[in-house]
């Protein structure tokens, strides 16, 4: 397969975890005789300082021409961030515009905790049992994140508002994605909402339940988001399968899921639109540990697995990377943050982790 890939390294630990992701990508390219051309482009806070924009025009052009985009985490320390005007910060000026530009409405965040990784979780062993395997699917370009924002004054009373809007089509297309995934995996599909309070949630449910008529073979549950947050801690395995969220509820509960895994460093992500998609590590740029070669590149390498699986439809390549990631932990290796900030024989550096995965992928 011949593909042009845009690479946005981002800020903080972005460039170093990206190097390991690309190392693994190249190992797969070699083994399966693909032909990838990589185009690096500035993105995030570092792009703001070097180019005057966190999502410069030249980066947009490279992304427009690419078949897929690989993105590292963005963001800098609070003090430095405060020197950047609101609209130019990585969230408002880069991430949300990237999602909007390619209409990447389907966000996949896997919560995979097989027994080999169970000891990283703060949850008790008996709660994890035979393992957690949830695919969280979050709507990514609608709802309160993209609604009208007002900071105003009325009759001398200051106020602010964020509109939350969902159209029927926006809900339908993400519901179809979630049901299709549940059918493929032959699992439960749990729809999360806040319909006891929000009109948008009642509307969301009505559309999801209409789509459900085409998926009568799929086991379906509907759970309020606050209860889901609770249940995820008490008995996460009950959700094994697919969970569907609107944008903001999904943002919050996918981070909670990172906590269940024991580290956001174990949370890759794919953001897919009708014509283009990108993959990214779902966590922040951890400026405090940048450049120390201790960051965990799992989420970036898992995102490369997603690139193969979800964007290039090369499932075998994706599965090989996933299995390599689990194998590394099965062999007793770990990373600095998972080891509680201690070093040791089996504690891998960022580059050591990537070398090992690239080695497994190449067949050693
Ligand atoms: C995420 C992030 C983003 C979000 C921020 C950085 C805009 O938290 O991808 O989960 O809220 O979607
Ligand atoms: Mn988030």
């Amino acid at each position: 397969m011949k593909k042009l890939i845009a690479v946005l390294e981002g800020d903080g630990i972005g460039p170093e975890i990206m190097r390991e992701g690309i190392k693994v990508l190249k190992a797969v390219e070699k083994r399966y005789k693909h032909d990838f051309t990589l185009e690096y482009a500035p993105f995030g806070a570092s792009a703001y300082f070097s180019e005057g924009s966190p999502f410069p025009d030249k980066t947009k052009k490279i992304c427009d021409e690419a078949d897929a985009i690989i993105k590292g985490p963005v963001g800098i320390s609070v003090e430095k961030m405060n020197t950047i005007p609101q609209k130019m910060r990585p969230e408002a000026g880069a991430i949300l515009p990237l999602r909007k530009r390619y209409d990447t409405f389907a966000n996949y965040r896997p919560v995979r905790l097989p027994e080999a990784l169970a000891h990283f979780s703060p949850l008790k062993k008996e709660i994890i049992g035979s393992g957690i395997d949830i695919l969280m699917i979050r709507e990514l370009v609608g709802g309160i994140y993209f609604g009208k924002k007002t900071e105003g004054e009325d009759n001398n009373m200051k106020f602010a508002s964020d509109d939350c809007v969902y159209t029927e089509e926006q809900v339908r297309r993400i519901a179809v994605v979630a049901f299709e995934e549940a059918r493929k995996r032959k699992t439960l599909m749990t729809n999360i909402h806040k319909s006891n309070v929000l009109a948008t949630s009642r509307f969301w449910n009505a559309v999801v339940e209409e789509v459900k008529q085409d998926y009568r073979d799929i086991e379906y549950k509907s759970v309020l988001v606050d209860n889901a947050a609770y249940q995820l801690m008490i008995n996460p395995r009950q959700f094994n399968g697919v969970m569907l969220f609107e944008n903001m509820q999904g943002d919050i509960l996918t981070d909670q899921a990172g906590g269940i895994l024991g580290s956001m460093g174990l949370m890759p992500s794919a953001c897919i639109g009708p014509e283009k998609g990108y993959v990214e590590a779902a966590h922040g740029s951890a400026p405090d540990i940048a450049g120390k070669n201790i960051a965990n590149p799992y989420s970036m390498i898992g995102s490369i697995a997603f690139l193969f699986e979800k964007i290039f439809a090369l499932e075998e390549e994706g599965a090989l990377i996933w299995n390599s990631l689990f194998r590394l932990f099965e062999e007793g290796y770990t990373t600095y943050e998972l080891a509680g900030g201690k070093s040791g024989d089996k504690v891998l550096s960022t580059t050591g982790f990537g070398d090992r995965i690239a080695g497994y992928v190449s067949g050693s």
Side-chain angles (χ1 to χ4, degrees), residues 71 74 90-92 95-96 99 107 109 138-140 145-146 247-248 250-252 254-255 264 269 271 278 280-284:
K71 174 191 156 295
V74 294
E91 295 86 351
I95 300 180
L96 297 186
R99 291 175 182 169
N107 179 213
R109 292 191 173 172
R138 165 186 174 199
E139 199 291 326
L140 202 60
Y145 280 41
F146 287 88
N247 202 345
M248 184 167 172
D251 183 29
I252 297 168
T254 54
D255 261 38
M264 280 303 283
S269 179
C271 310
Y278 73 94
E280 65 176 351
H283 54 72

Side-chain angles (χ1 to χ4, degrees), residues 33-96:
K33 303 194 170 42
H34 295 305
D35 180 3
F36 300 138
T37 304
L38 307 179
E39 283 254 26
Y40 286 73
F43 189 80
S46 48
Y48 170 75
F49 290 117
S50 65
E51 317 283 325
S53 163
F55 191 11
D57 286 344
K58 68 174 181 198
T59 300
K60 288 183 181 145
K61 186 163 177 285
I62 289 173
C63 292
D64 286 351
E65 285 163 6
D67 297 302
I69 302 159
I70 310 175
K71 174 191 156 295
V74 294
I76 41 170
S77 67
V78 179
E79 307 83 72
K80 268 191 162 173
M81 195 68 98
N82 287 337
T83 69
I84 306 181
Q86 186 62 38
K87 285 204 165 101
M88 285 288 171
R89 292 190 187 172
E91 295 86 351
I95 300 180
L96 297 186

